[in-house]
Amino acid sequence: MPTPYWKVRPYILTGGRTRTRRHLLVHTLVSVPYYDAVFASGLLPESRSLYEHARRTRSVAELSAVCGMTLGVTRVVVDDLAATDRLRIHSDQYTSPFDFRLLERLRDGLRQLA
């Protein structure tokens, strides 16, 4: 079980930032394309933990839980690591098998009944 560094305030880890450059959802998958032990040794403990846990492809929510960091802090740290090309953010390409026009008609019909 990772030891949370509760004395370190989140804004120190994020540099005071709350927004990311990329749109990171809780289900966005991230991974480490190639692990660099020298790079990992120079990171803050929280960033190092996240970097090492991302060696196996995981979602942002999983990384947040396993590293003991809040989701907002995890997103910013993931974004920072991705900016250095040390962490890969997998693109979200989800297609829906549903016809949205049919779903909208169904929704509108249900509203009329209510």
Side-chain angles (χ1 to χ4, degrees), residues 18-36:
T18 58
R19 298 186 189 263
T20 59
R21 295 170 204 91
R22 298 175 181 92
H23 189 63
L24 297 172
L25 301 171
V26 294
H27 61 271
T28 301
L29 297 177
V30 297
S31 64
V32 174
Y34 57 92
Y35 181 75
D36 184 356

Side-chain angles (χ1 to χ4, degrees), residues 22-89:
R22 298 175 181 92
H23 189 63
L24 297 172
L25 301 171
V26 294
H27 61 271
T28 301
L29 297 177
V30 297
S31 64
V32 174
Y34 57 92
Y35 181 75
D36 184 356
V38 175
F39 173 74
S41 67
L43 294 172
L44 291 172
E46 296 82 6
S47 298
R48 183 180 322 121
S49 174
L50 194 143
Y51 180 68
E52 290 176 353
H53 281 96
R55 290 172 77 175
R56 192 181 114 223
T57 302
R58 295 182 185 227
S59 70
V60 172
E62 285 178 290
L63 287 172
S64 175
V66 77
C67 294
M69 291 190 287
T70 64
L71 193 55
V73 172
T74 302
R75 284 180 175 152
V76 173
V77 174
V78 163
D79 190 49
D80 290 346
L81 290 172
T84 64
D85 292 330
R86 303 294 181 153
L87 197 71
R88 180 174 176 233
I89 297 175

Side-chain angles (χ1 to χ4, degrees), residues 98-113:
F98 304 106
D99 180 8
F100 285 107
R101 292 181 307 233
L102 176 63
L103 292 173
E104 288 173 350
R105 286 179 41 213
L106 179 62
R107 178 197 62 200
D108 294 341
L110 289 171
R111 281 185 181 157
Q112 289 177 358
L113 291 174

